[in-house]
Amino acid sequence: MELPPVKNKTSITNASNMQYNIERACDILDRTPAVLQSLLSGLPNDWVLPNEGPDTFSPFDVVGHLIHGERTDWAVRARIILEYGNTKTFDRYDRFAQYQESKGKNVQQLLDEFALVRAENLQWLKAKHITEADLDRTGMHPVLGEVSLRNLLATWVVHDLTHIAQITRVMAKQYKTEMGPWPEFFRILDF
Amino acid sequence: MELPPVKNKTSITNASNMQYNIERACDILDRTPAVLQSLLSGLPNDWVLPNEGPDTFSPFDVVGHLIHGERTDWAVRARIILEYGNTKTFDRYDRFAQYQESKGKNVQQLLDEFALVRAENLQWLKAKHITEADLDRTGMHPVLGEVSLRNLLATWVVHDLTHIAQITRVMAKQYKTEMGPWPEFFRILDF
């Protein structure tokens, strides 16, 4: 796809300002399996298994967490909103389910599994022809209270993007000692 | 490449502990062009041009910044260390050069340009057969003072990874408003 050149400026300062729509959301949701594949496929465990400290995720854990989200969170909750509105509270999300579910698998198996469950969910999402009125419908989150379908679906996208950020940050930290004095220029390594 | 399954645990808690070597570093440096391609190729400007606020980078800016780094920083400084040791201070790095250099280009042109200059630099790096003794040689950074080749080359990897983290964080922030109450679960959106 050929995009027009950027003429007079190279960035736009209006963060947090983008309006949700299914097409722009699918720009991201569609590509996340390929992004994870390009990031992690074939990497040795030296890069894939270390985390950031106790009870934090390794890149391996993150992929399992994303699979669990496809199975129990985003599309499942969207269906609840569309069928029951806010009369049926969402189940709580288990952030640590993947510690059990990923056991005995390697990262390539997880990447393939994620691609599969994501594709199924996007097939459902796109076939649903969700309207602006649908996006305003609300559901009941067990902690946050009332949330709209728009909130849920925007968060699905952000969840992908921030977990990719997490994977690369976790990997970056593995070389922190080897950087000598350089970490002072990399504020994110202290996050 | 078939990796062994992870048997008894899904992550290892020893962050910042990985030792530098050229092969593990190239695991990352080799794949960054493809990661950026999978993340950004074909994305509309709605995702590619917004930044995080004044004087911050958009995803578009980051790719230009990475190109500038290939041309003026990592491999250039490595050559200085190998040829002159710490008798020749590195030039200062211009963090904003891409504002000018990327003008009139689209993101696909930048992605292709980055892939090209990165491939050239890795061809040089791998042909150089750098030894452990070489990695201990030092150069003079204009701000940090004495740094080793090992420090420089480890930071090259971290620079890739943290800028991928930045790109995805910047994109995630575009939906912050649309997330309703959810940002409180996403600490990274306040970074």
Side-chain angles (χ1 to χ4, degrees), chain B residues 40-71:
Chain B
L40 298 175
S41 182
L43 270 191
N45 284 342
D46 288 355
W47 282 117
V48 170
L49 294 188
N51 61 21
E52 290 176 295
D55 294 326
T56 64
F57 289 177
S58 65
F60 182 86
D61 293 330
V62 172
V63 185
H65 170 76
L66 289 168
I67 292 168
H68 190 72
E70 293 303 302
R71 293 234 166 88

Side-chain angles (χ1 to χ4, degrees), chain B:
Chain B
M1 174 173 155
E2 187 67 11
L3 294 168
V6 176
K7 287 219 175 65
N8 298 313
K9 50 187 173 182
T10 61
S11 69
I12 297 167
T13 298
N14 61 350
S16 315
N17 206 22
M18 189 171 165
Q19 293 201 327
Y20 183 86
N21 70 53
I22 300 282
E23 192 190 349
R24 286 290 78 77
C26 287
D27 287 339
I28 305 300
L29 296 172
D30 271 326
R31 71 180 58 212
T32 299
V35 173
L36 293 171
Q37 174 80 14
S38 67
L39 254 181
L40 298 175
S41 182
L43 270 191
N45 284 342
D46 288 355
W47 282 117
V48 170
L49 294 188
N51 61 21
E52 290 176 295
D55 294 326
T56 64
F57 289 177
S58 65
F60 182 86
D61 293 330
V62 172
V63 185
H65 170 76
L66 289 168
I67 292 168
H68 190 72
E70 293 303 302
R71 293 234 166 88
T72 68
D73 189 335
W74 312 106
V76 175
R77 290 176 170 186
R79 283 184 181 91
I80 292 174
I81 293 178
L82 291 170
E83 282 177 43
Y84 303 98
N86 57 21
T87 64
K88 184 174 169 178
T89 302
F90 307 149
D91 286 339
R92 278 173 182 269
Y93 185 76
D94 181 356
R95 287 184 56 248
F96 301 102
Q98 75 278 1
Y99 290 151
Q100 197 54 44
E101 292 173 359
S102 298
K103 271 190 186 164
K105 298 178 183 172
N106 64 41
V107 74
Q108 190 59 52
Q109 290 172 300
L110 296 184
L111 291 168
D112 294 343
E113 195 174 334
F114 175 66
L116 202 70
V117 287
R118 167 58 58 91
E120 286 169 3
N121 282 331
L122 290 185
Q123 197 175 11
W124 171 80
L125 181 72
K126 291 169 187 175
K128 203 71 191 167
H129 300 296
I130 287 171
T131 64
E132 284 293 311
D134 290 331
L135 290 175
D136 289 332
R137 295 184 65 181
T138 59
M140 193 55 68
H141 187 284
V143 178
L144 298 171
E146 204 164 28
V147 292
S148 68
L149 181 60
R150 182 191 319 275
N151 299 155
L152 174 75
L153 294 178
T155 304
W156 190 5
V157 173
V158 171
H159 187 259
D160 273 19
L161 291 168
T162 54
H163 276 300
I164 296 167
Q166 178 186 30
I167 286 173
T168 51
R169 182 184 74 234
V170 172
M171 293 202 289
K173 284 185 182 176
Q174 308 315 318
Y175 267 168
K176 195 172 173 187
T177 304
E178 295 289 57
M179 293 167 76
W182 251 292
E184 72 172 80
F185 292 168
F186 290 78
R187 205 164 49 96
I188 189 70
L189 296 177
D190 296 321
F191 184 81

Side-chain angles (χ1 to χ4, degrees), chain A residues 20 74 81 134-139 144-158, chain B residues 175-183 186:
Chain A
Y20 183 86
W74 313 106
I81 293 179
D134 289 331
L135 290 174
D136 290 332
R137 295 185 64 181
T138 58
L144 298 171
E146 204 166 28
V147 292
S148 69
L149 181 60
R150 182 192 319 276
N151 299 155
L152 174 74
L153 294 178
T155 304
W156 190 5
V157 173
V158 171
Chain B
Y175 267 168
K176 195 172 173 187
T177 304
E178 295 289 57
M179 293 167 76
W182 251 292
F186 290 78

